[in-house]
Amino acid sequence: MRALVVYESRYGSTRDVASNIADGLRATHEVTVVPVAGATAGLFAVADLLVVGSPAHRHGLSSGVHDLLSGLEGRHELAAAFDTRGNGMHAVTGRTSRGIGRLLKRHGYLLIASPESFLVTSQGTLPDNEAARARRWGAALGIIATAAHAA
Ligand SMILES: Cc1cc2nc3c(=O)[nH]c(=O)nc-3n(C[C@H](O)[C@H](O)[C@H](O)COP(=O)(O)O)c2cc1C
């Protein structure tokens, strides 16, 4: 089965999380990881599982992910959403990943996990424990998606 991980990243943390999620997914899936700009219709068409991530920015969802999701063709496939943000900031912004999840559902996708946040340091780097958590989350998504397809 194939998984597509699409992310937007200005400073690199969301890209790092996406790449760790992809590492976890590789136990069960053939994985493609691309920034929003590289997410072509052809990649969506062959993906059995779509994972989308965005950094939290002042106005919620980053614009590239928003445009990508708004332009998605409806597909009844499995999906999951994540975000990266500064520790403690979600009281201000809410959770960007929930917005991604809502848009995915609106386009017919079935969310197989709760939207997840990964926390970056105040220096804007991804701590090792969050990178490891992203790998575990990716592995868990892979197992759930495999079970869902077998059912
Ligand atoms: C302009 C800007 C605005 C941000 N606004 C928020 C915010 O409102 N809430 C939040 O939780 N984090 C906010 N952050 C922190 C980023 O979400 C966090 O650093 C993120 O991991 C950056 O991802 P990137 O390295 O992939 O670009 C902001 C960062 C920047 C640069």
Side-chain angles (χ1 to χ4, degrees):
M1 290 202 323
R2 288 172 198 257
L4 175 63
V5 182
V6 183
Y7 65 89
E8 180 159 13
S9 186
R10 200 182 298 179
Y11 302 104
S13 294
T14 316
R15 182 197 58 221
D16 291 348
V17 170
S19 132
N20 279 286
I21 291 170
D23 286 348
L25 273 166
R26 283 200 183 90
T28 52
H29 285 68
E30 205 176 300
V31 189
T32 305
V33 195
V34 285
V36 166
T40 58
L43 288 175
F44 283 101
V46 296
D48 304 296
L49 169 65
L50 173 64
V51 182
V52 181
S54 159
H57 279 162
R58 262 185 277 277
H59 303 290
L61 202 51
S62 63
S63 56
V65 166
H66 184 270
D67 292 350
L68 172 84
L69 294 175
S70 305
L72 265 190
E73 275 181 40
R75 290 195 71 218
H76 299 285
E77 289 295 350
L78 309 179
F82 71 94
D83 63 53
T84 60
R85 56 182 169 81
N87 200 351
M89 291 177 81
H90 106 260
V92 186
T93 46
R95 277 211 184 172
T96 304
S97 50
R98 289 197 187 141
I100 299 174
R102 269 195 300 274
L103 285 172
L104 285 167
K105 279 202 258 184
R106 205 176 292 163
H107 285 86
Y109 283 86
L110 175 70
L111 294 189
I112 59 166
S114 299
E116 188 59 73
S117 293
F118 296 93
L119 304 181
V120 304
T121 64
S122 49
Q123 288 80 39
T125 56
L126 184 68
D128 287 347
N129 61 326
E130 288 295 87
R133 200 162 64 80
R135 281 195 296 280
R136 288 198 300 275
W137 193 67
L141 292 180
I143 291 166
I144 296 166
T146 305
H149 270 276

